[in-house]
Amino acid sequence: MSSESVIEFSGVGKHYRTGTSNPLRTLFSRSRPPGQTQDLWALRNVSFSVRKGEVYGIIGPNGAGKSTILKLLAGVTTPDGGEIRIAGRIAPLIELGAGFHPDLSGRENVYLNGALMGLSRREIDLRYDEIVAFAELAGFMETPVKHYSSGMFVRLGFSLAVHTDPEILLVDEVLSVGDERFQRKCLRKFLQFREEGKTIVVVSHDLGMVSSICTRMLFLAQGKVVADGSVEGAIGRYLQTMGEGEGVGVLQQGDTTVLFNSGRASIFDRGREITKKLGLYTSILVNGRDLPGSGIWHESTRAVWRCTSIDSRTIRCRGDYISAPLAQEWELALDEHGALKWSVWLEVLRRVSIERRQANVMLSEDYRTWAGGSASGAFPPEFTSRDYHNWEILASPEGSTMTASGRASAPEVQFRTSSSGFAATIVNSNFFFSGRVLMFLDPEAVNLQPGRYPYFSGDLRLNEP
Amino acid sequence: MNSLRILTGIGRNGELLLALLRKEFAVRYKQSVVGPLWAFLQPLILMSLFVMIQSFVHFDTGNAPYPIVVYAALLPWTFFASSVNTATGSIVGNAAIIRKIHCPRAAFPLAAILACLVDFLIASVFMAALIAYYGIGLSWRAGLLPLLLLLQLFLVFGLTLLTSSIAAYRRDVLIGMPYLLQFWLFVSPVMYRIEAVPDRWRPLYELNPMAGIIEGYRSILVYDSLPALSSLASAFAVAMLLFAVGLVVFARLEKRFADVV
């Protein structure tokens, strides 16, 4: 094992028997070579390694063997071939609320699970208050967990797992449960883990989530490794292999790759993502007392997306908001010079009053300076805003073009709009996103009748540094 | 040796056993009215039944009152039957945990057995009451009782390492266990004394390790005499054999618990 690796799979295989087999034969034969009966190979010759401090994502369709890898990592099952080496204490986070007994109270379950994970009673005593506080379950700890809501169940399980002081955290589709606020709390916890140099292995179907938090990724199909390495590479292969049917699409030209995934577009330059988290996205502030979803920002990632027409140069997608009577259509076109043209239309399904709207690109924190019109400045290194929506506005330069520059290797990003009414705005996001945002903001409130409206059009260019 | 690792795993994590024991009790009596009183009721009900049968079948009691003759046997038998039954189902019953958390799995049957041991100790209080009521004198021989208990613990742990791990693969073991125990009760000297078994059947009869153990309790508690060495030796041999086989089988089968259970 190299000094840096905390997890190493070499040639690991795992098979399950389907149909009935005779357990007595398993008992008395020394090593029955698998494959004679109806064996299902969940993993076949899988090799990869995870270094300390990485957030390692595992993606793949159902039945690809993702959860089997987590089970092997957690040590609940053993491989039928190859070798697995793990250095460090692993928290069992395979599906949350793992070993909870329905008849026991929250407190009893915390102590039981703690003991199962190898903690002493005293060690649990020390963490107990923290576990309860993080799960936000003060006052419910004496209640049998069978009376918990599914959200409470999940919160307690997550809180317990992250408070067992693991060096390696295993995460299986956890962020698809719990409310949005708790999901963000979990993500913040992951980031804290990452900063502490701990290792996280994430399994998910949510490409957006994994691509935003992972540093490296494994793409698995039918128990075999298809791609291992960069996030963009693995997701690119995933999209090519799995078909670009739903809310995903990929464009590539020269050094530039654009990855559209459910309301956000990530941009890669020579395999390195220059955007961050939300990437290219829109956000609409809806007002109106009689409407659902009023008074909150609706990011384009909240919509349910379908790509309707895709060729090698263009992606066209439609996203229906569940949270508001709105839909968006995007067209992304990458020309031969690697410039990305972005056009957005808004479809209004019921009369709405829109207070403000944005079209943004969130860049990585590697970007250090900005320029617009005749003004320019530096991004502060710190992200001071703790509020999810109220970010720190740094400047509102004149004109319809903004640029951001960063480290020597990173291309200069030029973001320009041809729509009127938008004001260029330079923003530092909050602590959670930690991104530099070039924002086109239309602050004018409008009442819109049902119909289809042009929302935004602009382009994004990457210039050699 | 691989088979021994399943024991050292439990040893390293003594708190786990305690936590599982606590869970067994909390779960068992959570929605029960009489709670731990069941520990008395179970052997008491069987005792009343056997006393009723004895009133017209007339088993030989060796000049001792029949209630104490039968209760001295029901005490270890009830412990045996309930611990074998619950420990056999302990791997299947804890499937949710076994599929998710890596922990020493042999702790599950052991915790189930120890939970029944607590019932045994509660039921012993009634035994003491019977001894006092009938004015039976106990001697230094009562000091041998812990050895009998230890032998029985080895027997039950070995047996249930075997049955609980096979039950994870094949539920037949779970379904069949109550019937097996019913059969086992009648081929053990519980309602009758071992002297009632014809001599030519004795060697075969004593292959049942519970025969030696139950008669051991009875000799000490009712007749204040030493247990018969021959039947105890065979109980010891069978218990050790089962324990060794149980360890090997459990170590082999536990690898796939999470996949099959």
Side-chain angles (χ1 to χ4, degrees), chain B residues 46-61 65-67 70 191:
Chain B
L46 269 182
M47 186 184 87
S48 328
L49 181 70
F50 290 165
V51 166
M52 191 185 77
I53 295 172
Q54 207 267 344
S55 68
F56 51 84
V57 177
H58 308 297
F59 297 114
D60 168 38
T61 66
Y66 185 70
V70 79
M191 70 158 86

Side-chain angles (χ1 to χ4, degrees), chain A residues 15 110 119 141 163 187 208 258 264 279 301 307 335 364 380 395 399 431 436 442 447 452 454:
Chain A
H15 71 93
V110 165
L119 294 177
M141 292 309 286
H163 286 97
L187 279 173
V258 176
R264 62 176 85 85
T301 50
C307 294
D335 73 15
S364 82
F431 170 77
R436 320 297 191 181
D442 182 353
N447 287 312
R452 188 170 184 269

Side-chain angles (χ1 to χ4, degrees), chain B residues 101-228:
Chain B
I101 304 176
H102 175 70
C103 53
R105 285 101 166 199
F108 295 111
L110 188 55
I113 294 166
L114 293 181
C116 294
L117 177 64
V118 176
D119 284 349
F120 170 83
L121 295 177
I122 296 173
S124 299
V125 175
F126 189 72
M127 184 73 227
L130 280 178
I131 288 171
Y133 178 79
Y134 289 110
I136 288 167
L138 291 183
S139 67
W140 59 271
R141 293 183 189 90
L144 296 174
L145 287 172
L147 290 178
L148 279 178
L149 185 59
L150 194 67
L151 175 59
Q152 189 176 351
L153 280 172
F154 267 97
L155 169 69
V156 175
F157 191 36
L159 176 65
T160 56
L161 278 175
L162 190 68
T163 54
S164 65
S165 57
I166 297 178
Y169 290 76
R170 290 289 175 269
R171 298 293 188 270
D172 311 56
V173 180
L174 263 186
I175 302 162
M177 192 49 77
Y179 304 105
L180 177 69
L181 285 169
Q182 224 166 52
F183 175 81
W184 204 324
L185 168 64
F186 291 104
V187 297
S188 300
V190 176
M191 70 158 86
Y192 52 88
R193 294 168 67 208
I194 199 166
E195 283 79 6
V197 179
D199 278 348
R200 59 193 165 106
W201 292 112
R202 281 288 276 277
L204 186 66
Y205 188 86
E206 284 174 1
L207 279 183
N208 167 11
M210 280 313 284
I213 292 173
I214 289 171
E215 271 308 317
Y217 276 90
R218 191 177 270 150
S219 306
I220 294 171
L221 290 173
V222 182
Y223 305 105
D224 190 24
S225 60
L226 277 180

Side-chain angles (χ1 to χ4, degrees), chain A residues 5-21:
Chain A
S5 296
V6 287
I7 296 170
E8 206 160 274
F9 268 51
S10 31
V12 171
K14 173 80 188 169
H15 71 93
Y16 292 98
R17 285 193 196 94
T18 53
T20 48
S21 69

Side-chain angles (χ1 to χ4, degrees), chain A residues 56-59 210-211 214 216-219 227-231 234-235:
Chain A
Y56 194 75
I58 301 174
I59 55 171
V210 282
S211 67
C214 290
R216 251 165 19 96
M217 210 177 264
L218 179 78
F219 167 30
D228 175 22
S230 70
V231 171
I235 291 191

